[in-house]
Amino acid sequence: MAELSRLPGPVMDLWEWQFEGACRDLDDSMFFHPEGERGAARRRRIEAAKAVCNSCPVMMQCREQALAIREPYGVWGGLSEEEREAIIAQRRAARLTVAG
């Protein structure tokens, strides 16, 4: 589950970018895997979702939002669940290196 404590308050200016999303009118199933989806089917769905993201004018806002709240499911901002986890781990390691 996303860490709700990291979500910003309901300020329209912070969320207005979502109205420009290329995914806005698409079926959610394109971005979120059904239970049991694996292998080639999962890779194809992820690649199709990323293709939508790559044409999106707000891809970076979406990506940073998903990383900020540690969104655990789906393709967001052109990144899969695993890719976001890796970036979050890299950022955490970088902070520890700087702090340590």
Side-chain angles (χ1 to χ4, degrees):
M1 177 175 225
E3 292 187 28
L4 298 179
S5 65
R6 295 177 183 269
L7 292 172
V11 179
M12 183 62 177
D13 291 341
L14 296 175
W15 298 98
E16 199 165 26
W17 60 267
Q18 293 180 352
F19 290 110
E20 301 299 319
C23 63
R24 184 168 164 78
D25 296 320
L26 299 177
D27 192 305
D28 291 347
S29 65
M30 182 176 205
F31 300 91
F32 298 93
H33 66 84
E35 191 165 335
E37 181 188 56
R38 292 189 181 21
R42 185 169 183 154
R43 283 190 300 277
R44 283 191 302 272
R45 183 193 46 77
I46 289 172
E47 290 306 315
K50 286 181 175 185
V52 172
C53 294
N54 287 335
S55 70
C56 185
V58 295
M59 181 179 78
M60 294 310 294
Q61 291 99 318
C62 180
R63 177 179 293 185
E64 287 307 317
Q65 175 66 22
L67 290 167
I69 66 166
R70 298 181 181 171
E71 177 60 57
Y73 304 109
V75 173
W76 293 84
L79 298 175
S80 68
E81 299 159 0
E82 295 80 11
E83 291 166 330
R84 286 192 310 279
E85 288 174 16
I87 291 170
I88 290 167
Q90 288 171 347
R91 288 180 177 181
R92 186 179 316 120
R95 279 194 308 272
L96 292 175
T97 300
V98 170

